[in-house]
Amino acid sequence: MHKEFVVVGLGRFGGSIVRELIDQGADVMAIDIASERVDEFATIATQAVVADTTDEAVLKSLGIRNFEHVIVAIGDDIQSSILTTLMLKEIGVKKITVKAQNDYHEKVLRKIGADQVVHPERDMGIRIANNILSNNVLDYLELSDEHSIMEIRVNEKIASKSLIDLDIRARYGINIVAVKRGNNIIVSPQADENLILNDVLIIIGADVDINRFEKKVLS
């Protein structure tokens, strides 16, 4: 059974989500109030519709309540984003993810029932900054304002040492959830696992602890 999604707002962010979901084999209804954007996705999405999603009657006529997940990717129109989220909640959509413009927008979205709120520009900026600042950091995902998952490359300083030698959890309060070694991933590695140069550690923890580990152990 195909997973079914609705994406509201077909700008750069929403459009990229539509393309990726379709590439992954999902069914996607793509919606925008601008007909030229909808036309662009007419041959890409499963269904492309010109609609005003702040109108509850329109949402009901499209059968959006039957979709398992709706992504609201409306651009600069915060009012439309909020009203659309509210209407989706009112008609009983199970899961709603919304793009936020700022922290105040996020607070309102969470109060009216958004299940997940994303800040794509901010999150990408943080990711790029982390990658620029460190040769060891390969990727970064913000879990909250204070916690993250990070991919860090093993350098000469810690290569050939075991996890128990480094004692990372006790010393820094962070956890290594997996080790990527070439095409293999070692999930929940054992304490006696010896690290190899260019292994990638997938680390989860508080940002301050991850930064402390990176500075003291890897720099």
Side-chain angles (χ1 to χ4, degrees), residues 9 14 48 81 111-112 126 138 170 174 181 190:
S81 167
K111 280 185 181 294
I112 62 176
I126 292 171
L138 302 178
I174 60 179
R181 182 170 294 156
Q190 298 297 311

Side-chain angles (χ1 to χ4, degrees), residues 121-141:
E121 288 86 1
R122 184 193 70 184
D123 295 345
M124 184 55 71
I126 292 171
R127 177 178 291 191
I128 290 169
N130 274 277
N131 291 352
I132 289 170
L133 286 169
S134 173
N135 292 327
N136 300 311
V137 175
L138 302 178
D139 204 356
Y140 168 92
L141 177 64

Side-chain angles (χ1 to χ4, degrees), residues 54-143:
T54 64
D55 187 328
E56 186 175 352
V58 170
L59 294 178
K60 286 181 176 177
S61 71
L62 292 172
I64 287 180
R65 182 171 52 185
N66 299 319
F67 287 78
E68 56 191 276
H69 193 162
V70 178
I71 299 98
V72 180
I74 293 171
D76 297 329
D77 191 342
I78 289 178
Q79 180 173 311
S80 291
S81 167
I82 291 168
L83 288 174
T84 294
T85 304
L86 190 59
M87 292 298 104
L88 292 169
K89 200 69 184 175
E90 286 289 316
I91 66 173
V93 171
K94 293 188 183 78
K95 185 170 184 182
I96 307 168
T97 296
V98 192
K99 172 187 175 181
Q101 296 297 320
N102 52 50
D103 291 339
Y104 297 107
H105 187 193
E106 176 177 0
K107 284 181 182 178
V108 175
L109 292 170
R110 292 199 182 278
K111 280 185 181 294
I112 62 176
D115 299 291
Q116 184 176 8
V117 179
V118 295
H119 297 258
E121 288 86 1
R122 184 193 70 184
D123 295 345
M124 184 55 71
I126 292 171
R127 177 178 291 191
I128 290 169
N130 274 277
N131 291 352
I132 289 170
L133 286 169
S134 173
N135 292 327
N136 300 311
V137 175
L138 302 178
D139 204 356
Y140 168 92
L141 177 64
E142 183 180 25
L143 298 176

